[in-house]
């Protein structure tokens, strides 16, 4: 019988670590300079893409790293968004406590959901997570607390003050842009370090062979529960940012469409890669904007779900490893050419 070892890898050389961080740093620098050349509409689109990239990164921790396919991840996204609006009040709330509060509420709900759903596996886990997300959806949809199907509006966007000095005012477009970018960089960096830690390697081992990890002495249930809660809290960051950007929330943020959309993002980009999650979010949002453009597709733009769905089928059929697999395939072919 073939055996699989889960020993931690040796530390990589400094040069290898530099290469791993080089591309993300370059991309972050380019994003920081984009507002200088973009129109207000384009800058708003980039902000939306970055928020969805954070959302996709949070689900990547579950699906790509731990092997837990969730169809209810939008529940945490939407709960954080609603907490952001409900806790804001009539005055501008402080980011210093509002963002942690939104993340904490998403994490608490995830703790309850994960404690129950992680006792199931496979398709049963998928359906249980979907059921919990739909429960949260109908709580906000059918009760006055969430404003019903119309949702509720944010009176004033949060600020960050130092004494009487306003350091960050999310009412201002540039402040919003760079705050979202900072959150994306922080989430990406946190997950990159987490995946290189002992905890991250344990999650990877659970994905490969959970039974063997239990035999090796790992409390796999607790590891999966911790990953579930962390992923939910990171989704809460995206929910906070989306509510702040839009100035309003509605129950659709918790719908299974949102959960399915973010799942398609990480599949489109390529499972098992943080870069793939970001690339998938970029591609998904841009494809959606492209197919929904009436200037290009005319009346067909109203049925953008059809054209987007067909495109997703083609991508999955032609690129089973996602968009991130294009580079891997090119590198492999180049290696074969050098070998010849």
């Amino acid at each position: 019988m073939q055996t699989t070892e889960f020993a931690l890898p040796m530390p990589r050389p400094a040069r290898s670590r530099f290469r791993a961080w080089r591309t993300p740093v370059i991309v972050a620098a380019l994003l920081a300079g984009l507002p200088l050349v973009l129109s207000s509409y384009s800058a708003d689109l980039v902000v939306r893409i970055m928020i969805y990239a954070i959302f996709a990164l949070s689900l990547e921790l579950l699906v790509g790293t731990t092997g837990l396919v969730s169809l209810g991840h939008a529940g945490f996204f939407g709960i954080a968004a609603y907490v952001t609006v409900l806790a804001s009040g009539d005055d501008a709330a402080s980011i210093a406590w509002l963002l942690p509060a939104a993340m904490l509420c998403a994490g608490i709900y995830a703790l309850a959901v994960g404690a129950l759903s992680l006792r199931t596996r496979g398709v049963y886990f998928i359906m249980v997570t979907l059921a919990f997300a739909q429960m949260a959806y109908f709580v906000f949809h059918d009760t006055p607390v969430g404003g019903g199907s119309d949702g509720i509006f944010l009176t004033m966007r949060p600020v960050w003050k130092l004494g009487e000095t306003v350091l960050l005012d999310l009412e201002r477009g540039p402040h919003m842009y760079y705050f979202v970018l900072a959150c994306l960089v922080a989430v990406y960096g946190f997950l990159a370090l987490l995946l290189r830690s002992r905890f991250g390697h344990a999650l990877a081992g659970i994905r490969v062979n959970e039974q063997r990890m239990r035999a090796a002495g790992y409390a796999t249930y607790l590891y999966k529960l911790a990953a579930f809660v962390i992923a939910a809290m990171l989704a809460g960051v995206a929910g906070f940012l989306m509510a702040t950007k839009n100035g309003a929330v509605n129950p659709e943020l918790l719908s299974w469409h949102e959960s399915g959309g973010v799942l398609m993002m990480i599949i489109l980009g390529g499972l098992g890669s943080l870069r793939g999650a970001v690339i998938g979010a970029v591609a998904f949002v841009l494809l959606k904007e492209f197919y929904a453009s009436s200037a290009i597709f005319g009346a067909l733009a109203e049925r953008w779900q059809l054209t987007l769905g067909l495109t997703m089928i083609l991508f999955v059929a032609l690129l089973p490893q996602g968009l991130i697999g294009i580079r891997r395939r090119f590198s492999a072919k180049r290696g074969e050419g050098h070998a010849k």
Side-chain angles (χ1 to χ4, degrees):
M1 180 182 297
Q2 184 179 359
T3 59
T4 305
E5 297 182 359
F6 298 106
L8 296 180
M10 297 296 292
R12 294 190 298 175
R15 185 175 181 182
S16 178
R17 291 197 299 269
F18 170 75
R19 288 178 178 176
W21 286 98
R22 180 177 57 190
T23 301
V25 168
I26 292 174
V27 171
L30 291 175
L31 287 172
L34 278 181
L36 301 175
V37 297
L38 292 180
S39 64
S40 58
Y41 171 79
S42 299
D44 183 78
L45 178 61
V46 174
V47 168
R48 182 149 55 94
I49 290 173
M50 290 192 293
I51 293 173
Y52 274 116
I54 295 173
F55 193 19
L57 285 169
S58 69
L59 186 59
E60 171 63 29
L61 178 63
L62 280 185
V63 181
T65 302
T66 318
L68 298 172
V69 180
S70 171
L71 202 54
H73 205 57
F76 314 121
F77 176 74
I79 285 173
Y82 268 95
V83 169
T84 300
V85 176
L86 291 172
S88 293
D90 295 329
D91 299 324
S94 173
I95 298 172
W97 68 263
L98 188 58
L99 175 57
M103 295 174 62
L104 182 62
C105 289
I108 292 173
Y109 186 63
L111 184 63
V113 173
L116 297 174
S117 61
L118 288 172
R119 299 185 183 279
T120 62
R121 295 184 180 182
V123 68
Y124 301 104
F125 175 80
I126 297 173
M127 298 310 297
V128 170
T129 55
L130 174 61
F132 274 108
Q134 289 301 102
M135 286 170 54
Y137 170 87
F138 284 109
V139 166
F140 289 107
H141 187 276
D142 296 341
T143 62
V145 67
S149 59
D150 294 330
I152 49 178
F153 292 88
L154 183 66
T155 305
M156 293 187 68
R157 289 183 172 86
V159 298
W160 196 338
K161 292 183 178 181
L162 183 61
E164 295 300 321
T165 305
V166 177
L167 301 177
L168 194 63
D169 184 359
L170 299 186
E171 285 283 354
R172 302 177 62 182
H175 287 207
M176 183 69 192
Y177 182 95
Y178 286 109
F179 182 67
V180 174
L181 175 59
C183 289
L184 175 58
V185 170
V187 170
Y188 187 97
F190 169 75
L191 287 176
L193 294 174
L194 182 71
L195 297 184
R196 287 174 172 81
S197 68
R198 185 176 297 273
F199 177 77
H201 290 299
L203 295 180
I206 291 171
R207 184 192 72 245
V208 175
N209 194 323
E210 183 178 356
Q211 184 176 357
R212 184 163 293 169
M213 291 296 288
R214 282 200 302 268
Y218 286 86
T220 59
Y221 175 81
L222 295 179
Y223 273 94
K224 291 191 294 183
L225 183 59
F228 197 84
V229 173
I230 292 172
M233 295 181 72
L234 295 180
V237 176
F240 168 87
L241 295 173
M242 187 62 76
T244 304
K245 172 189 171 297
N246 293 339
V249 293
N250 61 68
E252 292 304 313
L253 292 175
L254 297 94
S255 68
W256 67 270
H257 301 89
E258 285 288 343
S259 295
V262 72
L263 186 59
M264 286 201 297
M265 289 177 197
I266 61 174
I267 293 173
L268 179 61
L271 293 175
S273 168
L274 296 181
R275 296 182 187 184
V278 175
I279 292 171
V282 174
F284 185 86
V285 175
L286 291 181
L287 283 172
K288 182 177 176 180
E289 287 290 314
F290 176 67
Y291 287 130
S293 173
S294 57
I296 299 174
F297 290 95
L300 187 60
E302 298 180 1
R303 296 173 176 80
W304 61 266
Q305 296 95 334
L306 173 63
T307 48
L308 180 61
L310 292 173
T311 303
M312 287 294 300
I313 292 172
L314 288 175
F315 269 116
V316 172
L318 300 176
L319 297 170
Q321 293 183 339
L323 293 173
I324 197 70
I326 296 176
R327 183 189 174 201
R328 296 171 183 169
R329 184 179 299 181
F330 177 76
S331 299
K333 288 183 178 179
R334 187 172 58 180
E336 291 176 1
H338 287 313
K340 292 178 181 179

